[in-house]
Amino acid sequence: MYNMDNSKNNQGLASHTVRGEISRVVYANDEGTYSVLRVKDTSGQEHVVVGNISGAFEGQNIEATGKLETHKEFGRQLRAEHFRFTLPSTREGIVKYLSSGMIEGIGPKYAECIVEHFGEKTLDILDNYSIRLKEVPGIGKKRAAMISAAWKEQSAKRDIFIFLQGLGISSLFCQKLYKEYGDQAAQVVKNNPYQLADEIDGIGFLMADRIASSLGIAGDAAIRLAAGAIYTMNQLTTSGHCCYPAEEFVLKCAETLKVDSDHAQYGIDEALKQRLLILEHDMYYPRNLFKAESELPGHLLRLISIKRHSGQRLLKVPAAPNLQLSDEQLSAVERAGHSPVSIITGGPGVGKTTVVGEIVRRAKAAGLKIYLAAPTGRAAKRMSESTGFSARTLHRMLKWEPAEKSFAYNQFHPLTCDLLIVDEVSMLDLSLALCLFRAIKAGTTVILVGDADQLPSVGPGNVFHCMLQSKLFLVTHLNKIFRQGEGSHIIFNAHRVNHGQMPENTPKQQDLSDFYWIEQEDPERVADIILRMQSERIPQRFNFHPVRDIQVLTPMNRGLVGTATLNQTLQEKLNPGHKPQFKSGDKVFKSGDKVMQITNNYDKNVFNGDMGRIGNIDMKEKQFSVYFDNRAVSYEFTETDQLSLAYAITIHKSQGSEFPVVIMPMLNQHYMMLQRNLLYTGMTRARQLLILVGSQKAIGMAVRNSRLEPRYSRLLERLTEYRQEQQ
């Protein structure tokens, strides 16, 4: 019986269920994740059902549960939170269902003929006696076979989707699961729902845990406890940890799994048995990071212990006649000739670029084969522009091979350069550092350049700091400010912040400056200031392009001045109109949008932090292209979880990049993130103009907070052990 149920959930909010036949698919978006349906119950009443519903066809029966709402334009409708399809049972419904185009070989004409012949038994015939289709006038042997095969494929997919949706899996993830596992999707989920967290983008432990609960897997099941331990460790690595103290880790696992410590320890022990976790010195590691941390020191020692290296030839090349270097700059250049591995560190404007340029000039004169690299595309591009020598990202230099799922250059096939200079080394996480140093052959001269006071790497580890503290490497600290002299208020104020002093605003009598601090605390007014600054005031007064040149950097994703809200308002203002566009979840992507890759995709050769613009959108093929520095990369609509709008990005995501103009809000509501190195990193991203928007209190809080959150790692201890062995 079809009706409208009304019940109350635990929170006392009304939940409604509509059961009936889909009389019309009013709208279905091109990626197949959102539909507007008219559903007729047996009393003849029509209901409007909307939501993330895929695979809806006229004539199908649907049972949808959700909340009633009143749309200002379309009136009363049910926003479905859960739904399941059932097959039609009336002749009219079966005709509509078969006429929908879902079954190859059946259009409206043949649908009428088949139902006319078999009546209400039609679907049973298609399921079990499809050979009888030849009885229908006009359907020959070939068409009958085509219809039979298409029906079986659709039936298998429909049954799988019904099963998956019954577990609370959204239509979007049903499609991902079916694409990954095909007809085995339901069986894979039944066997081990926690497997999905490792293999399907967007499905983490929490979603897998909900699915497991729907399957009746107990809260203290070994498979759940072990998966929870791995999930807890993965969460800790996203905070930068390579390992975690044993006692604290047990408590973290217990909190995640909502079990007692004994059960949490049991899950950890199961993960240890499977070698997914490693225990050493009372610290738990994920297996891959334990291997990386254990292996990396050996490669570093191999490089620094060599007696002869290519850079020694630099010592024979005289200094450029017109180049004036400070004593510390000259020391940095000469150390490239004296040591196989040397480090150059310092803040903005202290001449790191000048030093690197002089080393490259001498290396060319000495006939050395030179490689320049940086962790991000923007940093590599900046390096190319400043030296006049081609630089690449580390991933492209090491040459990722998708088929092998590894880099082409490694310890067995090393890079062939004589001199390697790597910029923005503070961004190197443990895993990428290992891949880099594996691929450097002994005898290569390596120069590492970075700012030790910036934020640490987004990925796990604190490699640059550990190398600096190990005393194994020759380090040059550049301190004297050169760039733009005293005229640069950006550099002046960045160094003030780095030394624990408040930035100074531009004097009011000064006409144009490169630094402005607009004091404001109210989030709504700050959001409005950012919108007007980027869209009108800065382009008009300073002649910068509002999208290409101006970047908003904010401490957080959430809130009125977080990336999520700002991206939506900036998109509407900076990329208006009815351009080709599509919706993915609650996000709209338009042709021309500024976007950022937020995960490494080695197959596409795009990496976390790469920024580009959306080009062509193909609604028919459900694909679109993104241009990264004039290189077009193709995406399917279902891959949008790899991208985010990038009109506003977090300061963490800006590492390794520079922008002509930066607008940066810094408010009291950001108090959890207000640290000196965060403010300093954001300020040093601005090349020509920095607009700081925030209160004295918030910025003062950031300036005073120099305490760094601990990142658990034993890399420094391992490097120290190597140093002691040398002595």
Side-chain angles (χ1 to χ4, degrees):
M1 178 179 181
Y2 304 105
N3 59 12
M4 172 80 82
D5 291 341
N6 185 0
S7 59
K8 298 281 184 179
N9 63 17
N10 292 335
Q11 286 73 38
L13 300 175
S15 178
H16 299 264
T17 298
V18 169
R19 297 188 186 91
E21 181 183 293
I22 299 173
S23 57
R24 185 181 167 208
V25 179
V26 179
Y27 170 78
N29 69 354
D30 290 281
E31 60 269 32
T33 59
Y34 182 82
S35 299
V36 178
L37 314 173
R38 288 195 176 276
V39 179
K40 184 185 291 184
D41 64 24
T42 49
S43 70
Q45 182 181 356
E46 274 201 336
H47 308 277
V48 177
V49 178
V50 303
N52 293 324
I53 301 171
S54 65
F57 298 100
E58 292 180 6
Q60 268 180 315
N61 289 341
I62 189 172
E63 180 181 294
T65 301
K67 301 291 187 296
L68 281 177
E69 60 183 29
T70 301
H71 192 280
K72 62 182 179 181
E73 187 176 348
F74 303 114
R76 185 178 162 96
Q77 58 189 25
L78 180 84
R79 182 164 295 278
E81 296 170 350
H82 306 285
F83 72 93
R84 68 183 184 91
F85 293 124
T86 55
L87 291 173
S89 56
T90 65
R91 292 169 69 102
E92 182 185 6
I94 295 170
V95 170
K96 281 186 179 179
Y97 185 55
L98 295 181
S99 301
S100 63
M102 61 175 287
I103 306 299
E104 187 178 357
I106 303 182
K109 176 186 170 184
Y110 284 113
E112 290 277 2
C113 292
I114 293 169
V115 176
E116 179 67 29
H117 192 81
F118 295 116
E120 293 174 3
K121 295 181 179 178
T122 297
L123 300 184
D124 181 51
I125 295 293
L126 287 168
D127 275 337
N128 302 302
Y129 311 102
S130 57
I131 194 170
R132 291 186 59 191
L133 285 168
K134 291 183 293 183
E135 298 174 13
V136 179
I139 294 183
K141 185 177 180 181
K142 185 176 180 181
R143 183 173 291 275
M146 180 196 304
I147 293 171
S148 177
W151 177 259
K152 285 178 181 176
E153 181 181 347
Q154 180 63 28
S155 295
K157 185 175 180 180
R158 184 187 68 243
D159 291 343
I160 290 169
F161 273 48
I162 288 172
F163 169 76
L164 297 176
Q165 287 166 349
L167 297 173
I169 300 175
S170 71
S171 55
L172 176 63
F173 284 112
C174 286
Q175 291 176 9
K176 285 192 172 188
L177 289 169
Y178 191 80
K179 184 178 180 180
E180 179 71 22
Y181 304 120
D183 293 344
Q184 297 300 308
Q187 196 58 49
V188 168
V189 173
K190 287 178 186 176
N191 290 345
N192 183 6
Y194 296 102
Q195 179 180 341
L196 310 182
D198 296 325
E199 298 177 354
I200 305 296
D201 285 340
I203 295 185
F205 170 79
L206 298 179
M207 186 186 296
D209 202 34
R210 288 195 294 271
I211 296 168
S213 179
S214 299
L215 287 166
I217 294 176
D220 60 355
I223 190 174
R224 176 179 185 267
L225 298 176
I230 298 302
Y231 167 73
T232 304
M233 179 57 75
N234 289 340
Q235 288 298 103
L236 292 168
T237 63
T238 62
S239 298
H241 301 293
C242 296
C243 53
Y244 212 73
E247 286 188 19
E248 294 178 43
F249 183 59
V250 173
L251 296 176
K252 289 277 188 185
C253 290
E255 183 182 348
T256 298
L257 289 159
K258 295 180 172 56
V259 297
D260 59 36
S261 296
D262 289 341
H263 280 99
Q265 185 65 61
Y266 179 75
I268 294 169
D269 292 342
E270 286 294 306
L272 288 170
K273 286 178 188 175
Q274 299 170 42
R275 298 285 294 169
L276 299 173
L277 292 178
I278 305 294
L279 177 63
E280 184 195 67
H281 291 288
D282 213 28
M283 302 285 276
Y284 284 112
Y285 286 83
R287 181 174 58 189
N288 64 318
L289 294 184
F290 176 77
K291 177 174 171 41
E293 194 183 273
S294 302
E295 186 181 340
L296 178 58
H299 291 293
L300 292 173
L301 185 67
R302 171 177 59 81
L303 294 174
I304 63 174
S305 60
I306 197 78
K307 298 296 183 186
R308 296 185 61 80
H309 61 98
S310 302
Q312 290 170 323
R313 288 153 61 184
L314 296 173
L315 299 174
K316 299 177 182 178
V317 179
N322 298 322
L323 184 68
Q324 292 185 339
L325 297 177
S326 67
D327 290 344
E328 58 185 19
Q329 286 177 313
L330 185 60
S331 174
V333 173
E334 291 179 346
R335 281 176 170 178
H338 288 296
S339 176
V341 180
S342 59
I343 296 174
I344 302 168
T345 184
V350 297
K352 297 191 296 294
T353 299
T354 302
V355 170
V356 169
E358 173 62 6
I359 292 171
V360 169
R361 187 198 67 80
R362 293 191 186 191
K364 283 182 184 177
L368 299 182
K369 186 174 183 180
I370 309 162
Y371 281 1
L372 304 184
T376 67
R378 282 180 171 268
K381 184 178 180 182
R382 194 172 71 245
M383 203 177 184
S384 297
E385 291 168 351
S386 64
T387 62
F389 197 89
S390 176
R392 291 173 288 175
T393 65
L394 292 173
H395 290 89
R396 293 190 177 99
M397 180 182 73
L398 297 173
K399 196 177 176 183
W400 178 261
E401 295 188 331
E404 303 297 325
K405 295 194 181 300
S406 62
F407 287 111
Y409 290 99
N410 51 39
Q411 63 267 51
F412 308 111
H413 181 209
L415 297 165
T416 57
C417 57
D418 301 312
L419 173 68
L420 172 63
I421 305 176
V422 183
D423 198 5
E424 297 287 356
V425 183
S426 63
M427 294 185 67
L428 272 184
D429 63 30
L430 179 61
S431 298
L432 185 56
L434 175 63
C435 293
L436 170 64
F437 290 108
R438 268 178 179 168
I440 303 173
K441 69 177 186 293
T444 303
T445 300
V446 182
I447 300 167
L448 306 175
V449 185
D451 186 344
D453 295 315
Q454 285 187 25
L455 289 167
S457 60
V458 174
N462 209 350
V463 176
F464 192 42
H465 278 268
C466 291
M467 291 180 71
L468 289 171
Q469 293 171 38
S470 70
K471 305 291 195 293
L472 282 170
F473 310 94
L474 277 179
V475 179
T476 304
H477 294 273
L478 301 178
N479 296 301
K480 186 177 179 181
I481 299 174
F482 293 93
R483 178 153 59 102
Q484 299 179 44
E486 295 180 0
S488 172
H489 288 85
I490 297 174
I491 292 173
F492 172 75
N493 280 312
H495 282 278
R496 281 186 64 85
V497 166
N498 199 33
H499 289 99
Q501 299 171 307
M502 292 288 283
E504 293 182 357
N505 211 345
T506 299
K508 290 185 178 180
Q509 65 270 21
Q510 186 168 332
D511 184 26
L512 288 180
S513 175
D514 63 354
F515 175 84
Y516 296 91
W517 175 3
I518 301 171
E519 289 197 47
Q520 181 56 251
E521 173 55 32
D522 180 69
E524 288 189 15
R525 295 193 65 181
V526 169
D528 183 59
I529 288 169
I530 291 171
L531 192 63
R532 286 188 291 111
M533 280 283 176
Q534 182 158 5
S535 62
E536 300 167 15
R537 293 178 63 181
I538 294 173
Q540 289 169 5
R541 190 173 185 191
F542 294 91
N543 200 31
F544 286 109
H545 189 278
V547 178
R548 187 175 57 247
D549 296 331
I550 304 173
Q551 184 62 56
V552 177
L553 303 181
T554 180
M556 299 177 74
N557 289 310
R558 298 188 300 275
L560 282 173
V561 286
T563 59
T565 302
L566 285 174
N567 270 318
Q568 187 175 348
T569 56
L570 288 168
Q571 180 192 48
E572 292 168 1
K573 187 73 173 179
L574 301 175
N575 195 19
H578 298 286
K579 298 182 177 182
Q581 60 184 271
F582 65 96
K583 191 171 183 181
S584 178
D586 58 352
K587 294 180 183 176
V588 174
F589 291 93
K590 292 182 179 183
S591 179
D593 270 339
K594 188 176 185 179
V595 293
M596 173 181 275
Q597 179 78 16
I598 56 175
T599 61
N600 289 335
N601 188 321
Y602 295 100
D603 296 338
K604 295 182 188 295
N605 202 24
V606 287
F607 305 99
N608 192 350
D610 286 354
M611 296 177 74
R613 299 281 290 274
I614 294 180
N616 180 56
I617 297 175
D618 189 331
M619 306 302 283
K620 184 178 179 182
E621 297 296 326
K622 298 179 182 175
Q623 293 180 336
F624 64 101
S625 59
V626 177
Y627 286 88
F628 297 97
D629 291 328
N630 299 318
R631 183 176 70 95
V633 178
S634 181
Y635 291 81
E636 295 182 10
F637 283 179
T638 56
E639 295 179 306
T640 52
D641 55 351
Q642 299 180 30
L643 295 165
S644 68
L645 292 175
Y647 299 100
I649 62 175
T650 63
I651 296 170
H652 281 85
K653 285 289 188 183
S654 73
Q655 287 174 259
S657 298
E658 270 190 357
F659 309 96
V661 182
V662 166
I663 306 173
M664 185 166 59
M666 194 71 56
L667 307 181
N668 292 345
Q669 65 177 218
H670 300 141
Y671 71 94
M672 291 183 66
M673 303 293 295
L674 295 180
Q675 291 183 305
R676 185 185 298 173
N677 62 354
L678 183 86
L679 175 58
Y680 172 74
T681 299
M683 293 176 74
T684 56
R685 301 308 90 203
R687 190 163 64 244
Q688 293 171 261
L689 178 63
L690 171 63
I691 310 293
L692 187 60
V693 188
S695 67
Q696 285 267 357
K697 183 178 179 182
I699 292 168
M701 199 182 305
V703 169
R704 290 189 298 273
N705 185 11
S706 60
R707 183 180 62 85
L708 299 178
E709 290 296 321
R711 284 192 166 202
Y712 288 111
S713 164
R714 292 195 65 253
L715 180 60
L716 180 58
E717 288 93 321
R718 296 178 197 276
L719 289 171
T720 303
E721 288 167 7
Y722 275 110
R723 183 161 59 90
Q724 290 171 345
E725 288 172 8
Q726 277 189 308
Q727 295 171 345

